[in-house]
Amino acid sequence: MMNTLRLLLITLFLMSCTNSSEKAIELTEEEEIIQQLQSEGFDTKTIVFHNDCVIVEDDIVFERSDVLAPIDTRSKGYKYSRLVSSSKVGKIKIRLKGLSSAWESAFRNAISEWNSVSSCNIKFTEVSSSLHTNLCTVKMESMSSSTTFATGNYPRSTGKIGRYVKVNSNYSSGGYTIETLPSSLKKKIAMHELGHTLGFRHPGDGTHVSGTESEVSNPGYNTIMRQGWILRSTLYSDDEETARTLY
């Protein structure tokens, strides 16, 4: 009887230790999100949690619920683990909402550039209605940062296009506002942010997918997915190669 009681006490003690250990290693949702994005190669030192969104590398936006959801998208390896699905990339709807004529022109130029890539299935169609499921809405929004041009949502876990591109109406830097930026810079920003909605990354992360900008560590590599001031109204040939490789 005494041996049985002793065995029972030892078992209960070991179970309590196991439970304590399990509780100690439980991660919060934010820690899980950071861990997931780090596994996908994003610079997690730049992560900002804002309401129901996660902002990475200044202008890439994820919906919090999407980060940890099962990814129903085509994967092209570590760098391109989130892409628009093959059944949806040719049926993307885009709505320009509340933009100035200059920004409307910039985004229409960007739409034309991405649509014109040869041997590629990307197809944006401008619409006026919000009643579409595979829809990206481009709109103005005041952001807390005055130095961010715009942000672009990454493709959703369901394989749909990123939900929004937001142009920062609060931008004010170097004597410029968001409306007084050079037209060629506006066009580059528009192409860049639509690139994020398609799952395109900032360059410079090493070799991961042959035929994309991540393959090249050469600083002379040209891409509108590079951040900063680039006065450019057309895609580079390297951007076109990336689009063909992924889509």
Side-chain angles (χ1 to χ4, degrees), residues 8-56:
L8 178 61
L9 290 172
I10 291 172
T11 301
L12 290 172
F13 174 75
L14 290 174
M15 288 177 62
S16 68
C17 289
T18 301
N19 289 337
S20 298
S21 175
E22 288 175 351
K23 290 177 181 177
I25 61 173
E26 284 181 359
L27 299 177
T28 66
E29 181 187 65
E30 290 191 355
E31 288 170 334
E32 288 183 356
I33 287 172
I34 291 171
Q35 189 176 76
Q36 176 61 34
L37 292 178
Q38 186 175 44
S39 74
E40 294 179 29
F42 288 96
D43 182 1
T44 53
K45 296 190 296 295
T46 66
I47 286 182
V48 175
F49 290 92
H50 179 68
N51 297 330
D52 60 348
C53 293
V54 185
I55 305 170
V56 188

Side-chain angles (χ1 to χ4, degrees), residues 41-217:
F42 288 96
D43 182 1
T44 53
K45 296 190 296 295
T46 66
I47 286 182
V48 175
F49 290 92
H50 179 68
N51 297 330
D52 60 348
C53 293
V54 185
I55 305 170
V56 188
E57 298 175 10
D58 190 51
D59 72 327
I60 300 174
V61 180
F62 293 90
E63 295 179 26
R64 288 177 73 130
S65 59
D66 262 346
V67 177
L68 300 178
I71 303 174
D72 183 24
T73 61
R74 297 178 305 112
S75 176
K76 288 282 185 174
Y78 156 75
K79 186 177 176 72
Y80 293 104
S81 55
R82 297 173 186 267
L83 295 171
V84 179
S85 68
S86 56
S87 63
K88 296 179 175 69
V89 73
K91 304 173 184 178
I92 302 167
K93 308 302 182 187
I94 186 163
R95 182 185 181 211
L96 307 182
K97 179 183 177 183
L99 301 178
S100 66
S101 59
W103 277 104
E104 283 186 348
S105 176
F107 275 95
R108 286 181 178 132
N109 175 81
I111 291 168
S112 177
E113 283 295 305
W114 285 118
N115 284 351
S116 297
V117 178
S118 63
S119 303
C120 177
N121 293 316
I122 295 170
K123 178 66 175 177
F124 287 97
T125 301
E126 186 179 345
V127 296
S128 57
S129 169
S130 61
L131 301 178
H132 298 275
T133 56
N134 191 32
L135 174 71
C136 175
T137 299
V138 182
K139 62 181 183 178
M140 284 282 179
E141 185 167 298
S142 179
M143 301 176 190
S144 57
S145 170
S146 62
T147 58
T148 298
F149 294 129
T151 60
N153 278 56
Y154 233 49
R156 286 168 267 179
S157 57
T158 55
K160 295 176 183 177
I161 191 75
R163 199 182 300 272
Y164 293 107
V165 168
K166 297 178 180 178
V167 181
N168 185 10
S169 60
N170 188 45
Y171 178 85
S172 178
S173 181
Y176 290 92
T177 67
I178 200 67
E179 294 295 348
T180 61
L181 293 173
S183 62
S184 55
L185 179 56
K186 288 188 179 82
K187 291 174 181 177
K188 178 266 180 182
I189 293 167
M191 290 185 290
H192 179 104
E193 299 306 338
L194 287 186
H196 284 324
T197 70
L198 292 163
F200 297 162
R201 296 277 292 272
H202 298 139
D205 292 337
T207 301
H208 303 295
V209 183
S210 178
T212 74
E213 43 78 11
S214 63
E215 180 185 9
V216 185
S217 58

